[in-house]
Amino acid sequence: MIQSSVPVTRFAPSPTGYLHLGHAHSALFAWRSARAAGGRFVLRIEDIDVSRCRPEFEAAILEDLAWLGLDWETPVRRQSDHMDDYGAALDRLEAQGLLYPCFCSRAEASRVASAPHDADRPALYPGTCRKLPLAERAGLRADGRAFALRLDSGAAAARTGPLSWTDRRRGRIAADALALGDVVLARKDIPTSYHLAVTVDDALQGVTLVTRGEDLFESTHVHRMLQALLDLPAPEYDHHALLLGADGKRLAKRDRAATLRALREAGKTPAETRALAGFADGRVDAR
Ligand code: GLU
C-alpha cells in the first residue's frame, strides 16, 4: 500500500440523520488539517447499517458540506459498496485463528459477570463464547443459530506484541489491546462492523492522518491492533475536543436546531455557520 507524502485526511459521516454543528466542526477540522499542509481530503459514507441509513441523508450530507464551503476528492467511498473488502479482511483474521463465533444476545453480551467497572467505560464483553467448548459451538452452528464474529483480543495481542500510535495532541500512545475487550468484527445482521470497516477503509483510501472526535479515542487501540494484524500502514491520529451545545452537552442528530439545514433555513451564511462550528474567523481557507 502506497503512503502519500502529503497528509490525507477524511470525514466519515453515517447517513442516519442531518449533519449538525458537531459534524461541521469535525469536517472543517479534517479539511483544514489537510489543506494547511498542502494535503488531500477524502469523504466516506459509513452506511454498513443499511437499516438505519437513508439515501436522502447521504444526498443531504454532500449538499450541506458543499454549502459549508468544503470540497473533496471523488469518488466518495460508500461502505455498503465494499463488503467484499471487509470479507477479505475477516478471512485473513480467521486464517490466523483470531476470530470466534459469539451467539450471545445483546443483553447477554453486556452483562459483566461480577467485576466492578469504571462508570465512564462501557462494560466489556466477558468472553462467554470464547470459552464455549468446541462441541457446543459446533452444535449451535449446526442448529443454524445466528452468530457474530469477535476478535480474541488476548490472542491478537500475543501475536502483534506491543504496539503504539502517534496522537498529535497526546503524543506517543501505547496501544492497549484489551481496551475494548473482544470487539465484534462481524455483526449478526451485517458481515462487518464499525471497527473493521473503518480500519480497512482508512488504509484503502490512503488516509495518513485520522482526525475525529475524542469520543472515539478508545477505538484507536482496536484499530491499531487490526492494522498490525492485517499488514496495513498506521496513520497518525488527532482526536479533537467535541463541540458542545449551549447547554454544555454534546450535540446529537436529534438536536434539530443545530443542523446545518436548520441554520441555513434560518438565514445563516456559510461563514456564520463555520464560525458557530468553532472556526471563529469563519474563513474556510484560513491557514
Ligand atoms: N462514522 C463515524 C461517526 O459518524 C465516524 C467514524 C470515524 O471517524 O472513525 O461518528
Side-chain angles (χ1 to χ4, degrees):
M1 213 152 297
I2 302 161
Q3 282 269 64
S4 167
S5 56
V6 293
V8 182
T9 66
R10 47 64 157 189
F11 178 56
S14 294
T16 54
Y18 292 117
L19 296 182
H20 57 58
L21 283 172
H23 295 112
H25 181 76
S26 272
L28 284 160
F29 190 95
W31 193 94
R32 285 206 191 178
S33 297
R35 292 299 152 94
R40 296 163 40 216
F41 173 66
V42 300
L43 262 191
R44 179 164 74 234
I45 300 295
E46 302 218 319
D47 64 342
I48 56 170
D49 191 347
V50 286
S51 68
R52 293 180 57 230
C53 296
R54 299 229 299 265
E56 59 268 35
F57 290 137
E58 181 180 323
I61 285 170
L62 303 183
E63 196 185 297
D64 290 349
L65 291 176
W67 175 76
L68 199 60
L70 301 191
D71 56 2
W72 52 86
E73 294 184 3
T74 51
V76 171
R77 185 172 170 94
R78 186 188 296 120
Q79 289 189 322
S80 60
D81 292 339
H82 297 282
M83 297 309 269
D84 289 354
D85 290 331
Y86 315 132
L90 280 176
D91 289 347
R92 282 190 69 171
L93 297 169
E94 179 88 61
Q96 297 174 62
L98 298 175
L99 302 180
Y100 64 87
C102 173
F103 303 90
C104 293
S105 66
R106 209 175 264 263
E108 285 163 345
S110 56
R111 196 177 53 222
V112 181
S114 56
H117 60 272
D118 182 342
D120 290 342
R121 285 192 131 189
L124 300 185
Y125 177 64
T128 320
C129 286
R130 176 169 24 84
K131 300 168 208 153
L132 268 190
L134 287 183
E136 202 172 325
R137 194 180 275 181
L140 288 166
R141 281 180 99 142
D143 287 348
R145 280 274 298 273
F147 58 87
L149 288 174
R150 286 185 184 271
L151 180 70
D152 181 338
S153 52
R159 178 170 286 261
T160 63
L163 295 169
S164 61
W165 82 80
T166 302
D167 195 280
R168 284 204 169 170
R169 251 148 248 261
R170 306 198 202 183
R172 199 80 195 154
I173 307 288
D176 173 5
L178 309 182
L180 296 187
D182 290 355
V183 289
V184 168
L185 295 186
R187 290 165 41 165
K188 276 184 185 168
D189 55 339
I190 302 169
T192 185
S193 71
Y194 161 69
H195 294 301
L196 185 69
V198 139
T199 306
V200 168
D201 285 347
D202 281 338
L204 289 179
Q205 290 190 285
V207 173
T208 63
L209 172 63
V210 173
T211 67
R212 58 185 174 200
E214 61 188 10
D215 54 326
L216 289 169
F217 182 85
E218 295 291 318
S219 296
T220 306
H221 292 291
V222 177
H223 302 175
R224 182 67 197 94
M225 187 162 53
L226 291 175
Q227 286 151 8
L229 295 169
L230 295 167
D231 288 322
L232 302 175
E236 197 183 346
Y237 286 84
D238 196 351
H239 295 94
H240 61 74
L242 297 180
L243 190 78
L244 301 177
D247 58 359
K249 297 209 181 100
R250 60 180 290 195
L251 297 162
K253 280 186 178 154
R254 60 182 174 276
D255 298 333
R256 168 94 188 113
T259 62
L260 302 187
R261 281 215 149 210
L263 292 164
R264 180 167 44 164
E265 279 157 22
K268 295 278 184 231
T269 65
E272 285 166 344
T273 307
R274 291 194 293 270
L276 287 172
F279 288 80
D281 53 23
R283 283 180 55 204
V284 79
D285 59 347
R287 293 287 183 262

